[in-house]
Amino acid sequence: MYRDKKVSVIVPAYNEEKLIANVLKTIPGFVDHIVVVDDASSDRTGEIVKSKQEGDSRIAYVRHPENTGVGGAIATGYKWARDKGIDISVVMAGDAQMDPRDLPGLLNPIADGEVDYSKGNRLFTGKAWRVIPKSRYFGNAILSFLTKIASGYWHVADSQSGYGAVALQVLKTIDLETIYKRYGMPNDLLVKLNVYHFRVRDVPINPIYGIGEKSGLKIYKVVFTLSFLLLRLFFWRLKEKYVIRDFHPLVLFYLLGFILTPIGIIFGVYLLIFRLFVGPVEATSALFAAFFAISGLQSLFFAMWFDMEYNKELK
């Protein structure tokens, strides 16, 4: 128990035979349940976890028959915790990149009833810039900005950090079957949290890299893939939150922005090409292009500002 709250730690693991034992060994004693979700590992991950069960009765082992992705493994752990009625559930990856000493900081805001989901943020200090590989750092920065727009949580950064604690009420509310199964799971979860108006807070955590973990992720592919995912989630959130549940005029501003901005830009590029290769253009045509582009950008900025104001209490 942690401050009279039952706590479970969910450990998604895929081929983590080198580090999983250390992860399990360092989980604090106040954690009631440790749920290792083996996502169809082909190495000795399952064997090591089962051996650790003999000395730690808190460990539960769940194995997927087929690989579903880290999001799928986390969803399985969430379902386990929901069905057991666990008050707070925390995700700690099986690659030992999440410091157990940061657990209390993640648990406290939920235990105090201040938020529904607390998320680790590795970027609060300058250490992240020195520790995290630069390609990952910049990729994370791009995805964090896009996630702010897609999720409506403008105060949240480091969107790819999966180290987070969630209250039982969230797990009972969100449809865990629809959670994104792959690397974009944290982004998908934030969007769903916003639709249901849950409070989210960033908590400083210690960035850990270079301890023997291996990653097959290609940053450029991840950024490209998740950008399209976030675009789809953005429109889904607008529909669910600002049309179906409660109509808000920011939808109209976004619509105007999406129509006027590209018209202005395309028309302006056309006029520039015409001027360079054909001849002079009318001043009124240039004014029209500028008017459409500026009006569209202003509409987008107003829509974002409305979104910030509507969600400012979800901290």
Side-chain angles (χ1 to χ4, degrees):
M1 300 285 282
Y2 183 83
R3 298 177 57 183
D4 297 325
K5 303 290 184 182
K6 289 188 293 183
V7 176
S8 68
V9 166
I10 297 163
V11 184
Y14 177 66
N15 291 343
E16 299 291 357
E17 63 179 6
K18 293 182 178 179
L19 297 167
I20 191 67
N22 184 59
V23 171
L24 298 177
K25 180 179 66 175
T26 57
I27 292 177
F30 59 74
V31 172
D32 300 280
H33 301 280
I34 303 170
V35 188
V36 180
V37 183
D38 184 350
D39 198 25
S41 297
S42 57
D43 64 0
R44 297 177 56 250
T45 297
E47 180 183 333
I48 293 171
V49 174
K50 289 177 181 177
S51 68
K52 292 296 180 182
Q53 282 181 302
E54 298 175 3
D56 192 341
S57 60
R58 301 176 300 166
I59 299 175
Y61 176 69
V62 180
R63 179 178 171 84
H64 285 169
E66 297 179 355
N67 182 269
T68 63
V70 62
I74 293 171
T76 295
Y78 279 163
K79 293 172 191 174
W80 189 98
R82 177 199 62 194
D83 296 342
K84 298 289 183 181
I86 307 301
D87 298 307
I88 308 175
S89 298
V90 186
V91 173
M92 291 183 66
D95 59 5
Q97 285 191 337
M98 298 174 180
D99 194 336
R101 292 174 295 183
D102 291 323
L103 262 177
L106 291 167
L107 295 171
N108 286 334
I110 299 179
D112 290 336
E114 297 175 353
V115 300
D116 306 292
Y117 182 75
S118 58
K119 185 186 69 61
N121 186 332
R122 298 162 293 183
L123 310 180
F124 269 117
T125 67
K127 183 178 179 181
W129 175 253
R130 299 190 301 270
V131 173
I132 300 177
K134 296 301 181 287
S135 59
R136 282 180 171 264
Y137 192 98
F138 286 116
N140 189 0
I142 294 171
L143 291 174
S144 291
F145 175 71
L146 295 178
T147 302
K148 287 175 182 285
I149 299 173
S151 70
Y153 290 117
W154 295 85
H155 62 283
V156 168
D158 193 11
S159 62
Q160 304 317 115
S161 171
Y163 198 2
V166 61
L168 177 59
Q169 185 59 38
V170 173
L171 301 185
K172 289 182 176 180
T173 302
I174 290 178
D175 183 2
L176 299 177
E177 297 293 340
T178 63
I179 284 183
Y180 191 72
K181 298 296 191 293
R182 298 291 172 178
Y183 183 69
M185 181 269 177
N187 315 79
D188 180 63
L189 180 61
L190 283 172
V191 173
K192 287 180 168 60
L193 289 169
N194 188 266
V195 167
Y196 288 100
H197 222 62
F198 284 118
R199 299 161 298 171
V200 175
R201 179 177 298 175
D202 264 359
V203 175
I205 60 172
N206 181 38
I208 300 175
Y209 272 87
I211 56 174
E213 76 282 356
K214 291 183 179 181
S215 175
L217 290 174
K218 303 295 184 181
I219 298 302
Y220 67 92
K221 288 185 178 180
V222 169
V223 172
F224 182 79
T225 302
L226 292 193
S227 295
F228 281 100
L229 171 67
L230 289 169
L231 181 64
R232 178 173 62 82
L233 290 172
F234 169 75
F235 286 112
W236 178 80
R237 181 175 71 91
L238 291 187
K239 179 196 72 174
E240 292 291 325
K241 185 166 186 172
Y242 296 124
V243 177
I244 294 177
R245 286 168 170 78
D246 180 20
F247 185 80
H248 194 287
L250 70 82
V251 175
L252 300 178
F253 280 96
Y254 268 127
L255 182 62
L256 281 174
F258 290 140
I259 293 174
L260 295 179
T261 304
I263 288 177
I265 293 175
I266 292 171
F267 189 35
V269 171
Y270 166 76
L271 292 177
L272 177 61
I273 295 174
F274 188 92
R275 175 66 182 85
L276 292 174
F277 297 101
V278 180
V281 298
E282 294 292 335
T284 52
S285 298
L287 288 174
F288 270 118
F291 172 77
F292 282 128
I294 293 172
S295 298
L297 289 173
Q298 285 182 328
S299 296
L300 290 176
F301 291 144
F302 273 121
M304 292 179 185
W305 180 74
F306 279 134
D307 203 20
M308 290 180 192
E309 286 295 305
Y310 194 89
N311 294 287
K312 66 181 180 181
E313 295 180 357
L314 301 182
K315 297 181 180 181

